[in-house]
Amino acid sequence: MSFFQVVIPPLDQPYVYQIPTTILIPPEIGQRVLVPLRNQRVTGYLWEEAPDPGSDHPIKLIEQILDPQPFFTPSLRAFLSWISRYYHHPLGQVVKVALPPGLAISSLEVIEITPQGTEKLHSSSLPRLERELLTDLTQKRRPWGKLDLEQKKLAARLEAQGLISRIKHLPKEKTRPKKVKWVYPGPGFSEEAFSEKDRPLHDFLQGPEGLPLTDLRLFFPLPPRLLNQWCRKGLLEIREQPCFRNPLGEIYCVEERPVDLTVEQEQALLKIKRALVDGRYQSLLLHGVTGSGKTEIYLRAAEETLAQNRQALILVPEIGLVPQMEGRFRTRFGEKIAVLHSGLSPGERLDQWRRIQVGETPIVVGTRSAIFAPLEALGLIVVDEEHDPSLKQQESLRYHARDLALVRAQLVQAVAVLGSATPSLTTLHLQDRKKMAYLPLTRRVRQRAMPEISLIDLKQYRKGRQGTPLSPPLLEAVRTQVEAGHQILFFLNRRGFEPLTLCTLCGAPVRCRNCSVSLTFHAASQELLCHLCGFHQPLFPLCPACGREGIKTVGWGTEKVEKELKRLFPETVIDRLDRDTVSKKNAHYQILKRFQDRKTQILVGTQMITKGHDFPGVTLIGVLCADLSLNWPDFRSGERTFQLLAQVAGRAGRGPYPGKVFIQTYNPDHYIFEYVRRHDYLGFYRQELKFRREFEYPPFTRLVHILIQGNPETGVRDQAQEIGNLLSREREKRNLTTSLTLLGPVPAPISKIKGRYRWQILLKGKDPRMLHQISAWVQETGKHILKGSGVQLILDVDPVDML
Ligand code: ADP
Ligand code: ZN
């Protein structure tokens, strides 16, 4: 075993390297190595053995093996290879996405001053620029790549004169296990060696265990000088030891383990346990209405998994749901939990990763990227809120964590449990086709009723309600609940103060400079803001289109709703949860915690408030405008709206008092509302499935979305059309005219984002293999014809968001 394929993120393809005879311990697949590449040294991973390429191929040698253990288990490697093939994404970039950040080290070209340079600097007068650069270099080296063209010329001249030299330098790893100081008794440790006054320290430290210095300082002042002195004399010894940063703070909410499960819970759990005992791949859909106790089932399934000496991975769709899930698991399993999510610092992430790797934490709770957690003996994967679009990554590697959960479970013969009150149509359809076991929980725990849902026709109240977003019946209901001391949630999927900025004289909307969307007025900053790119500008009265003073901002965003509610209910504590209020670290958690602890009575928010939270004090929910998602230009808009409404409604009546939900809409006759009111998701599913079949959308077909974006506008259009033409020719050539549908090229619904113009083509077909072959062809062709054009082609397999 001496040749290896080495994956070097983010390079697309692996390269072959040889293990030198100087490395004596046989390396393992998955280990991190340092290899030469062009004139650099870079980090790579041993991916698989390679055959001897023969003597006429000069093969470079691996320079160093960086860690004792491999970074991937064999099954994780197979998983990543699968992902690379399925999503048509280069292996090196898949590996980069999967690993915690900060592991890659590579050599850097730097310039440094030579002894002649130093001498010259002191002995003679040099031109200003040269003197400045040399003086600068006496302080520190500078990376060659960071110099501008002029500086590079100057540096080259100085190098020719021997005053500076260019060298390759290997920087330290960016992220490393944290080390802390521990204090141990030294060789000279004895009672007499300490003075009377320091005797308590002696007694405290007796025994071989040692203590972290920071802990010791809680009890003893230990000034550094004294500490040094004791170490010199051998009384104490200080050793640096790796420690794991602990990102887990206080437990969000502590909960009792319910004694009895409901009958439905028992039945569902029994099936999961059977699957776990079977020890083969199986997938189960836990379809449980909001508040039916799904989490309790996850907890007990995890208990069973641990009892079998296997490990459990619990995925939630977004970071805001981690504290609650983590809290419940920690209450039950203590320190056996690791968390993985984007809120961790690179160091914390690496620590969590290593703890998982060494088997310290058999349970991992995290967001979608936790699907890559290095669990060796995975027995159970749970995906909570499996319908949630946030499980799909929308950039670089566009993977869906729910789909990957099924794939990973299959690769390691684990059990996958997908849970939701409103499963995605795709998942429900799988279950329909008997590809997945179905575990229904139709009732809430403790005989709690589902909330009563009323629809409010906003057309009826159009007149006279300009000043308020609450229709009279809703306002009335709020009054009653506020007086009774209950909690209320308001949901509006639009942040900011007023979402529309336009000229009242010519009607032109004020658009973002970089994106084809209107700007939102934010009162806190008194600015117009683009929600796509963050561009902002002051609010001017002058219309950029007609030049007159007609600019006005209109509509309702969460910020304005909060203000209005504060005016209506001055005595009540009101808070807001949206992207603007959670920008500070921990703010998200704090806002939810205050509401959970009932310090806040009314909470206004975007979809952030809808997901999974368990607030027993909430009795009333106001959905201020249900039409926003219903009018979305996407075939999934009905499904999304139902899911959103069911989720938000599910927050009501989870405690001892029954819940009520008011949904305001301009389209009360839309078919979806009948099902929403009756909590009849399966009825909606059957109805919606008919449309999907008729119009040939998933789950009856599969989609691949091709985005063509860049500059200039005409270039993007021409390239999109060119690719479209080539595609339809290829389709004919391959005899796919009936099995492959091409939609487009057309401008994307949002035709410009961050200054880049966007066109799209949609591929639709029933045969996944055929779709994959044609996708691979598109990608190759795209690479070829777009090279150097400033236009980019992005493939999205099983797209979720096609704006
Ligand atoms: P879901 O995830 O289905 O919305 P949860 O798991 O959050 O529901 O459960 C809602 C509440 O009911 C939690 O406080 C949970 O502790 C409690 N609970 C779950 N199962 C039972 C049970 N069998 N008996 C009593 N309370 C339960
Ligand atoms: Zn913008």
Side-chain angles (χ1 to χ4, degrees):
M1 179 163 90
S2 99
F3 295 93
F4 284 92
Q5 298 272 4
V6 175
V7 170
I8 305 168
L11 300 184
D12 291 5
Q13 296 308 326
Y15 288 84
V16 175
Y17 286 90
Q18 189 176 2
I19 294 282
T21 47
T22 48
I23 294 181
L24 298 173
I25 304 167
E28 283 178 69
I29 293 291
Q31 264 182 319
R32 194 164 65 121
V33 293
L34 197 64
V35 291
L37 181 78
R38 289 185 214 105
N39 49 12
Q40 275 197 320
R41 284 178 286 169
V42 296
T43 306
Y45 298 88
L46 296 184
W47 198 254
E48 57 192 8
E49 276 186 62
D52 186 339
S55 55
D56 42 343
H57 291 271
I59 294 295
K60 289 193 184 163
L61 296 177
I62 288 172
E63 241 176 59
Q64 200 183 332
I65 293 192
L66 290 170
D67 326 272
Q69 310 117 340
F71 256 82
F72 307 113
T73 58
S75 77
L76 194 53
R77 198 165 44 97
F79 183 51
L80 299 180
S81 295
W82 187 94
I83 293 172
S84 167
R85 285 194 303 274
Y86 186 80
Y87 289 106
H88 299 276
H89 205 74
L91 186 57
Q93 293 184 32
V94 172
V95 171
K96 188 175 153 74
V97 170
L99 288 180
L103 288 174
I105 46 175
S106 61
S107 64
L108 196 67
E109 208 173 9
V110 294
I111 50 174
E112 68 175 16
I113 190 162
T114 60
Q116 293 99 299
T118 319
E119 200 178 309
K120 183 99 179 183
L121 186 63
H122 294 307
S123 63
S124 63
S125 60
L126 284 159
R128 187 173 63 86
L129 287 175
E130 309 194 350
R131 186 165 27 107
E132 274 173 13
L133 184 59
L134 287 178
T135 312
D136 198 30
L137 289 177
T138 57
Q139 306 290 321
K140 59 174 193 293
R141 298 158 166 176
R142 290 184 55 186
W144 175 260
K146 292 247 170 86
L147 302 178
D148 64 27
L149 200 61
E150 285 306 310
Q151 287 172 319
K152 276 187 185 154
K153 277 190 199 154
L154 179 65
R157 265 207 314 278
L158 293 174
E159 193 188 7
Q161 296 168 33
L163 303 182
I164 65 171
S165 63
R166 252 200 268 182
I167 55 161
K168 299 237 165 46
H169 152 81
L170 203 60
K172 287 218 185 94
E173 266 175 272
K174 286 188 212 101
T175 314
R176 287 193 298 179
K178 188 174 155 188
K179 294 215 165 138
V180 294
K181 291 188 172 138
W182 279 58
V183 182
Y184 290 88
F189 184 83
S190 68
E191 202 171 340
E192 305 79 61
F194 290 89
S195 68
E196 190 74 34
K197 147 171 105 42
D198 296 321
R199 206 55 60 75
L201 177 68
H202 168 269
D203 299 346
F204 202 82
L205 267 177
Q206 244 173 352
E209 288 89 19
L211 273 172
L213 180 56
T214 43
D215 289 3
L216 207 55
R217 284 227 161 98
L218 293 177
F219 302 98
F220 303 96
L222 297 180
R225 265 204 27 231
L226 192 58
L227 205 59
N228 283 340
Q229 204 184 325
W230 283 338
C231 287
R232 265 203 319 274
K233 289 193 192 154
L235 272 58
L236 301 179
E237 204 177 297
I238 293 187
R239 292 180 222 156
E240 290 223 316
Q241 291 183 349
C243 93
F244 295 121
R245 280 149 280 211
N246 181 12
L248 310 174
E250 57 175 325
I251 292 187
Y252 176 72
C253 58
V254 178
E255 212 182 49
E256 297 288 303
R257 186 179 200 270
V259 187
D260 300 313
L261 294 183
T262 64
V263 175
E264 287 181 326
Q265 277 177 319
E266 284 288 3
Q267 286 170 343
L269 186 64
L270 192 66
K271 287 202 181 139
I272 298 175
K273 280 189 175 170
R274 267 200 209 125
L276 284 168
V277 170
D278 270 356
R280 292 178 291 110
Y281 166 69
Q282 275 176 73
S283 58
L284 306 99
L285 168 59
L286 182 62
H287 182 187
V289 298
T290 52
S292 57
K294 294 186 286 294
T295 311
E296 186 57 38
I297 294 182
Y298 307 152
L299 285 161
R300 295 196 189 202
E303 275 170 12
E304 177 69 28
T305 312
L306 262 53
Q308 296 185 4
N309 264 328
R310 294 211 284 171
Q311 303 159 329
L313 172 59
I314 319 292
L315 299 181
V316 294
E318 54 179 71
I319 186 167
L321 295 173
V322 173
Q324 176 155 321
M325 191 62 85
E326 175 211 316
R328 285 165 96 166
F329 271 83
R330 259 172 86 204
T331 324
R332 201 89 36 114
F333 297 98
E335 294 310 307
K336 293 196 187 120
I337 315 286
V339 291
L340 283 175
H341 56 76
S342 57
L344 303 180
S345 70
E348 288 173 336
R349 232 178 136 94
L350 182 64
D351 288 347
Q352 293 291 310
W353 184 275
R354 297 225 196 234
R355 286 185 72 198
I356 300 166
Q357 225 172 16
V358 297
E360 252 183 51
T361 55
I363 297 179
V364 177
V365 176
T367 47
R368 61 175 181 250
S369 63
I371 190 65
F372 303 112
L375 291 162
E376 269 283 352
L378 198 50
L380 173 73
I381 307 181
V382 170
V383 184
D384 192 28
E385 313 284 358
E386 68 83 33
H387 64 278
D388 196 303
S390 309
L391 288 165
K392 168 103 179 177
Q393 170 138 313
Q394 302 288 12
E395 57 191 26
S396 78
L397 172 60
R398 294 164 189 241
Y399 65 94
H400 201 304
R402 178 238 298 141
D403 299 347
L404 289 189
L406 297 178
V407 173
R408 192 162 177 196
Q410 226 158 353
L411 284 173
V412 298
Q413 299 296 316
V415 170
V417 175
L418 310 185
S420 173
T422 50
S424 68
L425 258 64
T426 310
T427 305
L428 266 178
H429 191 60
L430 278 177
Q431 169 281 132
D432 247 0
R433 288 163 54 216
K434 308 270 177 291
K435 301 251 171 157
M436 200 180 269
Y438 185 63
L439 317 175
L441 303 178
T442 57
R443 280 187 219 114
R444 286 185 159 182
V445 295
R446 304 196 193 100
Q447 280 98 37
R448 287 197 179 125
M450 292 302 284
E452 181 196 316
I453 298 182
S454 323
L455 274 188
I456 297 179
D457 182 358
L458 283 178
K459 290 192 298 274
Q460 228 183 309
Y461 302 105
R462 216 173 224 164
K463 283 206 192 73
R465 61 168 284 280
Q466 261 75 0
T468 164
L470 308 190
S471 59
L474 179 53
L475 186 59
E476 187 52 42
V478 176
R479 287 232 159 85
T480 319
Q481 299 304 313
V482 165
E483 263 156 43
H486 295 311
Q487 287 180 295
I488 303 164
L489 277 176
F490 284 104
F491 167 58
L492 179 64
N493 223 353
R494 223 159 24 184
R495 66 190 174 100
F497 196 75
E498 287 162 323
L500 193 61
T501 311
L502 46 72
C503 175
T504 46
L505 300 173
C506 74
V510 178
R511 286 176 183 277
C512 172
R513 181 196 292 171
N514 314 315
C515 313
S516 60
V517 295
S518 163
L519 294 175
T520 297
F521 177 59
H522 285 246
S525 56
Q526 286 291 311
E527 272 180 328
L528 297 176
L529 178 73
C530 172
H531 287 178
L532 288 179
C533 74
F535 167 79
H536 51 96
Q537 65 177 48
L539 180 61
F540 283 131
L542 282 190
C543 172
C546 72
R548 287 175 291 173
E549 270 195 32
I551 295 297
K552 264 234 157 89
T553 58
V554 293
W556 288 89
T558 43
E559 199 185 358
K560 189 165 160 189
V561 172
E562 182 194 9
K563 189 176 171 209
E564 170 68 3
L565 286 167
K566 283 185 169 156
R567 187 185 69 79
L568 288 167
F569 302 98
E571 311 281 287
T572 309
V573 185
I574 299 172
D575 207 349
R576 172 160 60 97
L577 182 68
D578 58 26
R579 282 256 294 285
D580 299 314
T581 58
V582 301
S583 49
K584 278 200 219 86
K585 196 177 154 96
N586 246 344
H588 195 167
Y589 174 83
Q590 298 295 349
I591 294 170
L592 289 175
K593 177 90 178 141
R594 279 200 298 273
F595 195 65
Q596 177 96 23
D597 295 344
R598 304 188 72 147
K599 290 181 183 140
T600 313
Q601 197 176 1
I602 299 183
L603 184 62
V604 183
T606 53
Q607 69 196 3
M608 278 185 172
I609 62 165
T610 66
K611 298 189 177 172
H613 304 292
D614 196 14
F615 303 120
V618 173
T619 54
L620 176 65
I621 286 171
V623 176
L624 296 177
C625 184
D627 306 325
L628 291 174
S629 61
L630 211 48
N631 296 334
W632 221 237
D634 185 300
F635 72 92
R636 289 196 186 91
S637 64
E639 179 183 350
R640 287 271 174 82
T641 306
F642 198 116
Q643 288 163 348
L644 219 50
L645 292 177
Q647 289 297 326
V648 70
R651 302 311 112 212
R654 291 167 78 100
Y657 296 93
K660 270 195 177 170
V661 181
F662 284 79
I663 299 178
Q664 304 191 138
T665 170
Y666 286 103
N667 299 295
D669 300 327
H670 194 291
Y671 76 92
I672 193 176
F673 290 122
E674 224 6 72
Y675 297 111
V676 171
R677 253 178 17 81
R678 293 203 308 260
H679 304 284
D680 182 9
Y681 191 64
L682 287 178
F684 164 78
Y685 160 70
R686 281 187 284 270
Q687 177 70 29
E688 186 73 13
L689 216 54
K690 282 189 204 148
F691 291 128
R692 297 281 179 95
R693 181 171 308 177
E694 191 175 329
F695 294 102
E696 301 196 312
Y697 272 115
F700 299 102
T701 52
R702 290 169 178 250
L703 304 178
V704 176
H705 182 259
I706 304 169
L707 180 68
I708 295 142
Q709 67 171 15
N711 265 305
E713 192 171 10
T714 49
V716 176
R717 184 198 58 203
D718 294 349
Q719 299 285 15
Q721 278 163 352
E722 167 78 2
I723 290 167
N725 290 339
L726 290 172
L727 246 174
S728 50
R729 229 175 297 149
E730 188 66 18
R731 182 172 67 149
E732 259 161 53
K733 212 168 88 193
R734 296 185 184 212
N735 267 329
L736 301 174
T737 32
T738 47
S739 55
L740 173 68
T741 312
L742 289 182
L743 300 170
V746 289
I750 303 178
S751 59
K752 184 181 159 199
I753 294 182
K754 294 184 186 166
R756 280 189 294 214
Y757 294 91
R758 314 167 77 238
W759 277 63
Q760 63 181 24
I761 302 172
L762 196 60
L763 309 181
K764 200 155 88 166
K766 285 195 165 78
D767 175 4
R769 267 197 44 200
M770 174 277 289
L771 268 179
H772 275 287
Q773 282 160 3
I774 201 86
S775 300
W777 179 86
V778 172
Q779 195 160 47
E780 271 312 301
T781 312
K783 232 189 245 164
H784 195 67
I785 66 173
L786 296 178
K787 206 168 188 177
S789 69
V791 177
Q792 198 186 4
L793 181 146
I794 297 167
L795 270 190
D796 187 355
V797 179
D798 308 325
V800 163
D801 178 356
M802 296 184 285
L803 297 180

